[in-house]
Amino acid sequence: MQSFQKTNTITRLRSYRLPAGSDFHPTILEAALATSAAPTYFSDMAIGGSKFVDGALGANNPVAEVEEEAADLWCEDTGHLQPLVKCFISIGTGHAGIRSVSDKGMKNLIQTLQKEATETENTNQQFLGRWRNHVENDRCFRFNVEHGLENVGLAEFDQHDLIRAATSTYLKERGTKGKVRSCVENLRTKEYEPTAAFIKKLKYEKTHESQRPSQMLSRATTSEIAELITLGNSHLKVPPDRITVDNFKQARHYFTKALHYLKGDASSSLKQVSRLCHKLMETSLGLSMRARDGTERKVYANQAREYGETALNNVRRVQDQCMAAQVEFLLTCVGVWQMYLQARTGGLEPRDHPGRGDVEIEMTERLQVLARFGNLDMEAYEAQAQKYLGYVNDSSRVREWER
């Protein structure tokens, strides 16, 4: 809860204590009176020698205050809040119009409210920009009645029927209904509280990244594993021409931790492990192709193959033929890339490698198997096949890539 101090500063009113917070702790009654003390309607509220008025005069849309408060609670050291937030919901009070008035004092208030209304939307746009990744992944929502409240004034509490009707109409709109469904689905999948223990665990693992996976903390909830995978995916949602080594390393970091926890969870399925190994195969291959050092390229390529073989072994055990075909295709891509690396290390032109003809035949066979399933994007697979075969067939393309 927030209130606006008459010294033109915003004060956050808490029912809890922060390690570095103030000793200012009003009662719930004092806080309620302070945060609702709209000028000309209610008297300001005196607490501990200070006077407070409605917090809307300082932050009509308090979303930035919420962000800062959450960061102070959960990630005071880093301030890196977004990876810790599963769902962010912002609820407005509607786009209310401002009517003309004759009283001079009221006119001043109206001018202030008009300014605050504009700043509210500006704040919202800035907020949506900062949290655009959450918005795109249905993890951040803004609900605000668009029409019907233009003629409802600040003091017209007796218009609750009109407010209810406008809100009901807004919620029935097609666009709003879709957002509500996505929001509900997001909240339904939340299975744990964002406790200090989980935050502490993430900090611990970040500090001990050099440890082997077997030395990490061994357990995590289903939602925590899902969060790690989401974090990994977020680093890969970058246009191909802009993705960097750091993007791949960050994705790999989160996927590796998720895989470690998944393997330690007796309720996880072989298919879940396979999907994550498939992601790690793709990520390791991406790292190999972007690494500058020849040794690193080989190490990442070998890791890609290891993850791929683990994924393939698991999907064969559950007899998922479609997924097995996809893994086999990517393993062939890894094989082509390893052939390219082997040729360059040995001083050969990749197209002169003795195994080039075999991998071309193998790639053709993989594409034929994929085409049998009928529900796959074969154009994408064919383009990917041409991309990798280009490294062993097209010398000019190889030289261009190596610049």
Side-chain angles (χ1 to χ4, degrees), residues 4 8 37-41 53-61 96 98-99 101 103-120 154:
F4 192 62
N8 292 330
T40 76
Y41 295 106
V53 294
D54 184 4
L57 295 180
N60 199 38
N61 185 341
I98 303 297
R99 293 175 292 178
V101 293
D103 180 79
K104 184 176 181 180
M106 285 295 292
K107 281 186 176 180
N108 290 335
L109 174 61
I110 294 303
Q111 290 173 355
T112 300
L113 292 177
Q114 286 176 323
K115 179 181 177 182
E116 291 297 334
T118 301
E119 290 180 354
T120 294
L154 186 63

Side-chain angles (χ1 to χ4, degrees), residues 47-332:
I47 307 175
S50 299
K51 292 185 177 181
F52 297 88
V53 294
D54 184 4
L57 295 180
N60 199 38
N61 185 341
V63 67
E65 297 295 320
V66 172
E67 287 183 70
E68 290 182 14
E69 185 73 3
D72 288 343
L73 275 170
W74 297 333
C75 50
E76 183 183 10
D77 295 337
T78 65
H80 196 30
L81 176 65
Q82 292 191 11
L84 306 177
V85 177
K86 186 177 191 303
C87 188
F88 201 137
I89 303 173
S90 173
I91 301 177
T93 57
H95 293 280
I98 303 297
R99 293 175 292 178
S100 61
V101 293
S102 57
D103 180 79
K104 184 176 181 180
M106 285 295 292
K107 281 186 176 180
N108 290 335
L109 174 61
I110 294 303
Q111 290 173 355
T112 300
L113 292 177
Q114 286 176 323
K115 179 181 177 182
E116 291 297 334
T118 301
E119 290 180 354
T120 294
E121 286 308 308
N122 290 340
T123 299
N124 181 54
Q125 292 304 313
Q126 294 168 7
F127 162 68
L128 294 178
R130 290 194 303 274
W131 291 78
R132 58 184 174 275
N133 188 57
H134 277 59
V135 174
E136 292 169 358
N137 288 281
D138 289 334
R139 297 173 61 191
C140 180
F141 305 89
R142 168 74 171 174
F143 297 104
N144 198 23
V145 176
E146 299 288 342
H147 307 289
L149 301 180
E150 294 84 356
N151 295 317
V152 178
L154 186 63
E156 293 177 327
F157 60 89
D158 57 342
Q159 295 292 320
H160 50 77
D161 287 340
L162 176 59
I163 295 171
R164 184 185 298 111
T167 303
S168 178
T169 299
Y170 169 72
L171 291 174
K172 291 177 182 177
E173 292 175 359
R174 181 172 299 179
T176 308
K177 288 169 69 175
K179 285 202 302 181
V180 170
R181 281 195 299 269
S182 297
C183 183
V184 170
E185 185 61 29
N186 183 298
L187 295 174
R188 286 178 61 188
T189 59
K190 185 175 179 61
E191 298 177 3
Y192 70 98
E193 295 293 330
T195 61
F198 179 52
I199 308 306
K200 184 178 180 181
K201 181 165 62 175
L202 284 179
K203 288 182 179 179
Y204 174 86
E205 292 179 1
K206 188 69 175 176
T207 305
H208 297 78
E209 284 181 339
S210 60
Q211 294 182 343
R212 298 192 306 274
S214 60
Q215 293 175 298
M216 294 180 184
L217 298 175
S218 59
R219 300 187 65 183
T221 67
T222 301
S223 290
E224 288 170 352
I225 294 171
E227 284 295 299
L228 291 170
I229 295 173
T230 299
L231 288 171
N233 287 332
S234 69
H235 287 282
L236 299 180
K237 291 183 177 180
V238 180
D241 59 333
R242 293 175 57 190
I243 197 164
T244 65
V245 170
D246 186 60
N247 289 131
F248 280 108
K249 285 184 175 180
Q250 289 294 326
R252 190 172 184 270
H253 167 74
Y254 288 115
F255 290 154
T256 301
K257 288 202 295 186
L259 180 62
H260 168 70
Y261 291 136
L262 204 58
K263 286 182 175 179
D265 184 357
S267 65
S268 63
S269 67
L270 291 174
K271 189 174 289 190
Q272 287 175 308
V273 173
S274 297
R275 289 196 185 101
L276 202 45
C277 285
H278 191 273
K279 286 180 179 292
L280 279 162
M281 175 169 57
E282 292 178 314
T283 306
S284 298
L285 182 57
L287 276 169
S288 177
M289 297 180 70
R290 285 162 179 79
R292 293 292 182 184
D293 181 73
T295 302
E296 280 191 345
R297 288 183 183 179
K298 288 184 178 181
V299 169
Y300 285 132
N302 290 338
Q303 290 174 350
R305 177 163 292 281
E306 290 173 5
Y307 284 123
E309 289 172 350
T310 300
L312 185 58
N313 180 54
N314 285 337
V315 292
R316 281 176 173 170
R317 289 171 63 185
V318 297
Q319 299 182 340
D320 187 330
Q321 296 181 354
C322 182
M323 189 172 179
Q326 294 174 72
V327 174
E328 287 175 330
F329 170 79
L330 190 55
L331 274 171
T332 300

